[in-house]
Amino acid sequence: MSGQRSDELLGMGSRITRRDFFNGAMVASGAALVAGCGGGQGAAADGPWTPSGSSWTGYGGVGDYAWSNGNTQAVVDAAHGIRDRLYPDPATKPIDEDFDLVIVGGGFSGMTAAYEFSKRAGEGVTCLLLDNHPVVGGEAKQNEFDVDGHRLVAPQGSNGAIVPHDNYVRGSFGEGTYDIFTDYYREFGLPTKYDLEPLGGGAEKYELTDYHFGPMAPAWEKAYATGYHFPGTGWVANPTTDGFAKTPWPASAQKQLDDFVADRRDVLSGVANPEAWLDTLTYYQLLDKLGYGTEVRNYINPGIAVGNYGVCGSGISAFAAHRLRLPGTTIKDKVISSSDIGLVSFPGGNTAFMRIMLQRMIPGAIRTQEQGPLAPVGGTIDPAKLDRAGNKIRIRSGSTAIDVRHPGDPAKADHAIVSYVRDGKVRRVRARAVVMASGGWVNRNIVSDMPEGHRKAYGEFQYGPVMVANVALRNWRFFDKLGFTNTRWFDALGWQTSIRRNVDMGGAQAFTPDSPTVLTFYIPFLHPDLPGPQQGPAARARLFATSYADFERQLREQLTAGFAAAGFDAKRDIAGIILNRWGHAYVAPQPGFYFGRDGAPPPSDVIRKPHGRIVFAHSELLGEMAMAHAMHEAYRAAGQIMDML
């Protein structure tokens, strides 16, 4: 390297003080390290960690979500204050405000409950939504980069939705769990098809995905020009097309992997009630019955973890794998899709739907220059409109709920009290009804008078983390030179990424290998040797214990190792890196989660029952953290609270 330091070649420079997270608690390490300038030349002049100023949160990009990239240090500090009992007893504080409804949590569950309240409740009633993040949206937020005058947008988390075509029949997809989403889709007047940005400069020869998760699926991967990167071997082109023959795996493993990708092996034929049977064993146990070994487990584990569950196949029910349509779980003659739907993945993921809902609920909440149903997607949030006196719905960000309870016997109470922390101060609000739209890991810690049945049911919920890293590039010529647009890694932090073709939101220029783009990495933290319930906590410890600089370094080194020979230069070609850490990204359903065990009902059935004036609504009750499922559960909860009001 001609004497030049490797961190300089990677585009890493300014020195910071590292603050690590270990086992979920922040500790000052006291060590200085060479840290990267997350924004590259796109960072603001006041330092690489703009605007957060946190060396753990890192660079936040530009636009509405610059302060809110995943679980930031401020958000995690506030949440851990609950666990560590750092806040004063809220009972000593007076009641500050009264509302008819308080909603805790601003993801799709909370926003759907608020949206339904805005439509169903009469005049003069009020709702307060408390969200612990700087910007409402849960995981439905986006990262934005300014790269040499080009605005690039990528998802922080929630991503991918169905598009109901004109002849779509309600209920024909998702066994009814998508009905509220498709109702909203039509209510919002959204298109039934989307054009993609035009291609040029040689990009026309590729099949480019417009959906992040598509190339991850074993059955879909061969549609894309794919390279696998192995330590000591380098790139192997299109391995699924020749039965993995050129990979370094032994012949027996190649045969197993080929059978697995083609879904050739079956143990479900002849099984009575196969869905319930699948929920009695883990996916690993099913793979054992199918005769698949370690290589197949290792091959599919990252996809399981980022696809919806956050852990390995030993940590989920085989029925959960069936919900992901994984090999070996296909039930003969079961119709699980519809020919009358398509898929859409907006540049910022499902942030588009969140913003449309926000604008309809609070007119003027998003300043727009365009007209039409998609106008809020490209607008700018006006924070002053969100928590304005006189609004039917008020949204208060940066507000962490710490205690929810009834003043006496829940069965006789006519209100509940919600205590929360904002700007370091404990505040209390009285409500005739409360929707707990925050995650179960939060609910079980802050609903102080939760009945034992609910508490025991919540004990059945396990969670896994994921990190979404968005890497802004000035071009993708090095992909083109190698002939790949979809890559998978077996020796690096980011296991998979693809060159993505975006929806044309109007006037898009031709997308070429010289165009700037964003690589989105959905990154798991796998612990296959641990028992299922221990995998999520161990993964979160790794996620929290690593600084932004360390993750940034790993990504830069990964891309350099894979693409330097094709002309990639990290310092020149990377314009910015944003990390979005989600400590409880996914529920990890164990066997028995869906159908119950030992004659007991599924835990979700228990939690759906109101507790006095408090109802619970979050997508994990359906066993998958997904936008449509959040809407489904919140719609049910909205009906329950309207009965109270």
Side-chain angles (χ1 to χ4, degrees):
M1 293 187 177
S2 304
Q4 188 176 8
R5 289 167 48 187
S6 61
D7 54 339
E8 294 173 349
L9 291 172
L10 294 173
M12 306 177 69
S14 58
R15 191 173 181 81
I16 61 168
T17 300
R18 174 182 176 182
R19 294 187 71 206
D20 279 345
F21 280 60
F22 180 70
N23 291 335
M26 287 192 305
V27 293
S29 70
L33 52 82
V34 177
C37 180
Q41 296 179 18
D46 56 343
W49 317 120
T50 57
S52 72
S54 163
S55 61
W56 188 81
T57 303
Y59 174 60
V62 299
D64 286 339
Y65 303 95
W67 285 93
S68 193
N69 53 304
N71 294 136
T72 63
Q73 179 177 326
V75 168
V76 174
D77 281 350
H80 287 173
I82 303 171
R83 182 201 61 194
D84 298 335
R85 303 183 186 280
L86 300 181
Y87 301 117
D89 182 2
T92 63
K93 303 293 182 180
I95 300 294
D96 297 304
E97 297 172 287
D98 287 272
F99 286 87
D100 293 287
L101 173 65
V102 169
I103 299 171
V104 178
F108 273 114
S109 295
M111 288 290 283
T112 298
Y115 182 65
E116 285 298 318
F117 180 86
S118 73
K119 294 197 300 181
R120 300 190 204 184
E123 294 299 322
V125 291
T126 55
C127 168
L128 174 67
L129 186 150
L130 300 172
D131 189 55
N132 61 328
H133 289 263
V135 184
V136 72
E139 292 188 29
K141 294 197 282 284
Q142 63 196 31
N143 296 143
E144 301 176 41
F145 300 87
D146 186 346
V147 179
D148 305 327
H150 298 271
R151 180 61 62 96
L152 302 181
V153 180
Q156 289 194 22
S158 180
N159 186 18
I162 69 167
V163 177
H165 295 161
D166 290 332
N167 53 349
Y168 175 77
V169 176
R170 189 179 193 269
S172 63
F173 181 79
E175 300 177 316
T177 60
Y178 279 71
D179 288 355
I180 305 307
F181 169 76
T182 57
D183 288 349
Y184 287 167
Y185 197 95
R186 287 176 167 163
E187 183 179 325
F188 297 163
L190 299 178
T192 56
K193 64 176 295 185
Y194 294 86
D195 293 326
L196 301 179
E197 59 191 351
L199 301 179
E204 307 95 324
K205 64 179 177 286
Y206 297 114
E207 180 70 26
L208 296 180
T209 184
D210 60 335
Y211 177 52
H212 282 98
F213 294 102
M216 299 180 189
W220 290 10
E221 181 189 285
K222 64 181 59 179
Y224 307 98
T226 298
Y228 282 13
H229 195 271
F230 293 92
T233 300
W235 292 107
V236 174
N238 302 310
T240 61
T241 60
D242 62 1
F244 299 90
K246 297 183 181 64
T247 66
W249 290 310
S252 59
Q254 292 174 8
K255 176 65 169 68
Q256 289 181 31
L257 286 161
D258 190 45
D259 284 354
F260 178 78
V261 168
D263 196 14
R264 294 192 184 101
R265 303 186 185 183
D266 170 48
V267 295
L268 288 180
S269 296
V271 172
N273 197 358
E275 292 184 343
W277 181 77
L278 284 171
D279 197 36
T280 65
L281 68 165
T282 69
Y283 190 47
Y284 266 22
Q285 290 171 328
L286 181 66
L287 292 177
D288 287 343
K289 293 179 182 295
L290 292 163
Y292 292 129
T294 301
E295 286 85 359
V296 170
R297 290 181 175 187
N298 292 340
Y299 179 83
I300 197 59
N301 275 337
I304 292 172
V306 305
N308 232 319
Y309 302 119
V311 298
C312 300
S314 56
I316 63 166
S317 162
F319 185 73
H322 169 71
R323 298 278 288 270
L324 279 184
R325 308 184 190 182
L326 292 181
T329 67
T330 303
I331 298 174
K332 186 179 180 181
D333 299 327
K334 180 183 178 182
V335 178
I336 57 177
S337 188
S338 169
S339 60
D340 300 326
I341 61 170
L343 288 173
V344 64
S345 185
F346 288 104
N350 292 333
T351 314
F353 297 100
M354 181 66 70
R355 293 169 71 90
I356 292 167
M357 185 176 289
L358 175 61
Q359 182 77 319
R360 293 178 69 93
M361 195 161 42
I362 305 177
I366 298 181
R367 296 186 291 260
T368 64
Q369 295 181 342
E370 305 294 330
Q371 300 295 320
L374 289 172
V377 177
T380 302
I381 296 175
D382 184 353
K385 298 286 180 63
L386 302 185
D387 191 15
R388 188 169 54 181
N391 282 6
K392 189 173 188 178
I393 307 292
R394 296 176 67 173
I395 296 176
R396 192 166 294 166
S397 60
S399 302
T400 302
I402 62 171
D403 185 85
V404 182
R405 68 178 72 193
H406 300 87
D409 182 354
K412 299 178 181 178
D414 62 2
H415 68 274
I417 298 172
V418 178
S419 303
Y420 67 98
V421 173
R422 191 171 195 243
D423 298 329
K425 297 180 179 179
V426 176
R427 306 181 184 187
R428 304 180 81 205
V429 58
R430 181 165 41 215
R432 295 169 60 200
V434 176
V435 174
M436 296 301 300
S438 43
W441 66 95
V442 174
N443 295 347
R444 64 191 179 197
N445 282 313
I446 67 174
V447 179
S448 301
D449 58 1
M450 181 179 288
E452 182 58 30
H454 282 64
R455 196 170 298 281
K456 182 179 179 181
Y458 267 131
E460 297 290 316
F461 285 69
Q462 308 292 332
Y463 301 92
V466 73
M467 183 171 72
V468 182
N470 283 311
V471 180
L473 300 175
R474 290 189 164 85
N475 65 77
W476 52 282
R477 288 190 292 266
F478 44 94
F479 273 86
D480 183 42
K481 186 172 182 179
L482 290 172
F484 304 141
T485 62
N486 177 47
T487 53
R488 180 162 179 172
W489 307 72
F490 293 86
D491 58 344
L493 174 71
W495 75 285
Q496 186 272 348
T497 193
S498 300
I499 299 298
R500 181 182 171 207
R501 185 182 183 188
N502 279 316
V503 170
D504 183 355
M505 300 300 291
Q509 298 179 347
F511 184 58
T512 79
D514 292 318
S515 300
T517 192
V518 178
L519 298 180
T520 297
F521 294 86
Y522 284 82
I523 299 173
F525 299 90
L526 303 175
H527 291 272
D529 297 331
L530 292 178
Q534 296 179 23
Q535 291 179 26
R540 273 190 295 281
R542 285 178 59 192
L543 175 68
F544 288 159
T546 308
S547 70
Y548 173 94
D550 284 351
F551 279 137
E552 180 199 25
R553 185 187 301 279
Q554 291 179 63
L555 288 166
R556 288 176 179 267
E557 289 175 344
Q558 173 180 342
L559 292 171
T560 298
F563 296 112
F568 170 77
D569 181 287
K571 187 173 183 179
R572 178 194 65 210
D573 295 330
I574 294 178
I577 297 176
I578 303 177
L579 305 181
N580 307 280
R581 310 178 198 230
W582 301 108
H584 295 79
Y586 297 127
V587 66
Q590 302 283 303
F593 183 92
Y594 297 95
F595 292 85
R597 64 170 68 90
D598 301 326
S604 54
D605 284 0
V606 176
I607 292 169
R608 289 188 182 102
K609 298 175 182 177
H611 162 50
R613 291 274 162 173
I614 302 170
V615 299
F616 303 89
H618 37 75
S619 62
E620 65 216 64
L621 295 177
L622 282 168
E624 290 181 47
M625 310 280 252
M627 170 179 60
H629 292 165
M631 291 177 174
H632 179 89
E633 291 294 335
Y635 186 88
R636 178 264 309 160
Q640 291 174 320
I641 62 104
M642 291 309 300
D643 288 343
M644 298 177 187
L645 300 178

